[in-house]
Amino acid sequence: MDAGLLFVLIFFCWLENPTTAISLQIDTSISQRTTASLGLVGDAADVNTTTVAGTVLIGGGEDVDQAFQWMIKKAGGGDFVVLRASGTDAYNSYIYELGPINSVETLLIDSRTLANDPQVEKTILNAEAIFIAGGDQANYVNFWKDTKVHHALDYLRNVKQIPVGGTSAGCAILGGTYFGALQGTVTSPEALNNPYISLVTLGHKDFLNQPYLSDVVTDSHFDNRDRHGRLITFLARMSHDHGILARGIGLDESTAVCIEPNGIGKIYGSGSAYFLTQNGIDGTPERCEDGFPLDWYRNEKAVIVYKIQATIDGAHIFDVSTWAYGTGGNHLYYYVRDGVLYKTAY
């Protein structure tokens, strides 16, 4: 491509929501690698391959090889870029050895200056797969939101149609509603005891835009750190604050949900994935107020949960386009009385 400025003036993201328009300006004259790069393995020359879109949610802990292989296949052998705000380039060799890929590069983007750097933007826009590492999601919100990185990520997933994934903190920011951890983490007892405690910092439809996840909040390390109660609290806030049919995906460590373009999520790994949905648009919390414990029981059927055991071959699935079909799992009801979470058989 000739040197100069390539203007991608307007693109439209057709999701389940109203159309989103984003304007991008890409400087194609940049030739050197960005200062944010922690290193690259493979061929540094850019390639263009045919890609297939998808979204990967990983619950932290040990990485799930099959999820990265799923992304590599959808990347068509192109360039794989890892984004983070802290940490090392450890993913480079790990991903590169999992399958045929042109290159793997890690970018450390730990400031808004870097997040608006044209070199960083170009490296991201040239990617055929993007993975957001774990760490502290507050850094991603503070450093990346409303920057070139933010808009490039939306462009890649919704227009260029590449696979985008994240683990732990990187998974947390992929939902339309997200726990930003801007005041630090919050435990289940803290959230259930007061849904509006200052630690519950929820963003809503103002960051990354992933198909099928518009009204979904994600959480990782789910059973490992007993986060069931806080995810229920996040759903209660979504329902109460925004009047939506609130949904959530909780992921155990070493567990991945790989969402195909048609909305079918394949469950890989060794733990469980939990798909939670408010039991009807009118099934709002009985009490979701600042300074009071959460009450959300609705005849002890407030939230419908479908728990799926992951497998190495991704044999079990859940349809996040309809939330009406899954395999390999079992149903539960979750409800809350006076800040205490209860679980009953479906």
Side-chain angles (χ1 to χ4, degrees), residues 19-346:
T19 301
T20 300
I22 299 175
S23 176
L24 294 179
Q25 178 176 301
I26 309 164
D27 190 345
T28 61
S29 66
I30 298 170
S31 58
Q32 70 269 36
R33 305 223 69 77
T34 170
T35 56
S37 179
L38 293 179
L40 178 148
V41 296
D43 189 346
D46 181 48
V47 296
N48 293 299
T49 63
T50 300
T51 60
V52 178
T55 302
V56 173
L57 308 173
I58 302 180
E62 186 175 345
D63 289 308
V64 181
D65 293 354
Q66 294 78 12
F68 287 94
Q69 290 167 337
W70 185 90
M71 292 185 71
I72 289 170
K73 183 177 180 180
K74 291 192 178 307
D79 297 307
F80 202 120
V81 175
V82 177
L83 305 181
R84 60 194 319 153
S86 62
T88 71
D89 66 348
Y91 271 116
N92 285 6
S93 57
Y94 164 72
I95 295 172
Y96 193 72
E97 293 171 0
L98 285 175
I101 199 81
N102 185 61
S103 70
V104 184
E105 183 172 15
T106 296
L107 303 185
L108 180 68
I109 308 170
D110 58 0
S111 70
R112 294 187 69 82
T113 298
L114 280 174
N116 279 309
D117 187 296
Q119 292 176 293
V120 170
E121 179 189 41
K122 182 186 177 186
T123 300
I124 293 172
L125 288 171
N126 283 340
E128 280 73 45
I130 290 283
F131 187 76
I132 305 171
D136 182 350
Q137 62 258 41
N139 288 332
Y140 299 152
V141 177
N142 288 327
F143 297 151
W144 301 355
K145 185 173 171 289
D146 299 322
T147 68
K148 290 181 182 294
V149 167
H150 172 180
H151 299 311
L153 289 174
D154 277 348
Y155 172 84
L156 289 176
R157 178 60 185 86
N158 298 299
V159 178
K160 188 176 178 180
Q161 296 286 310
I162 75 166
V164 173
T167 186
S168 191
C171 171
I173 62 172
L174 292 178
T177 296
Y178 58 92
F179 173 56
L182 299 179
Q183 302 295 327
T185 193
V186 64
T187 65
S188 287
E190 289 170 334
L192 289 166
N193 191 56
N194 181 3
Y196 288 89
I197 189 174
S198 61
L199 295 174
V200 180
T201 52
L202 296 176
H204 181 67
K205 295 187 179 180
D206 62 2
F207 199 8
L208 301 184
N209 198 347
Q210 296 288 311
Y212 307 116
L213 300 183
S214 175
D215 292 332
V216 176
V217 61
T218 69
D219 210 351
S220 56
H221 308 279
F222 197 57
D223 208 38
N224 312 78
R225 300 183 186 178
D226 189 21
R227 289 181 168 173
H228 298 248
R230 82 173 196 177
L231 185 56
I232 288 291
T233 304
F234 297 164
L235 265 63
R237 284 282 305 272
M238 292 163 66
S239 175
H240 182 268
D241 296 352
H242 305 292
I244 61 176
L245 185 68
R247 289 167 169 164
I249 299 175
L251 293 151
D252 287 345
E253 294 178 2
S254 305
T255 305
V257 176
C258 298
I259 303 173
E260 298 283 351
N262 63 359
I264 298 297
K266 299 179 179 179
I267 321 301
Y268 292 98
S270 58
S272 294
Y274 300 74
F275 298 86
L276 293 76
T277 184
Q278 175 181 331
N279 194 357
I281 191 65
D282 295 325
T284 55
E286 283 84 352
R287 182 177 65 187
C288 185
E289 300 177 27
D290 188 10
F292 294 92
L294 177 65
D295 274 324
W296 196 11
Y297 37 89
R298 292 294 172 185
N299 201 29
E300 300 184 353
K301 298 179 180 180
V303 175
I304 301 171
V305 182
Y306 192 64
K307 176 184 177 182
I308 301 178
Q309 175 62 46
T311 63
I312 297 299
D313 61 357
H316 300 157
I317 65 169
F318 189 83
D319 186 350
V320 296
S321 70
T322 65
W323 287 73
Y325 176 74
T327 64
N330 61 284
H331 281 98
L332 301 166
Y333 287 118
Y334 283 9
Y335 66 96
V336 179
R337 283 189 182 273
D338 199 29
V340 178
L341 173 65
Y342 296 91
K343 307 172 186 179
T344 62
Y346 186 79

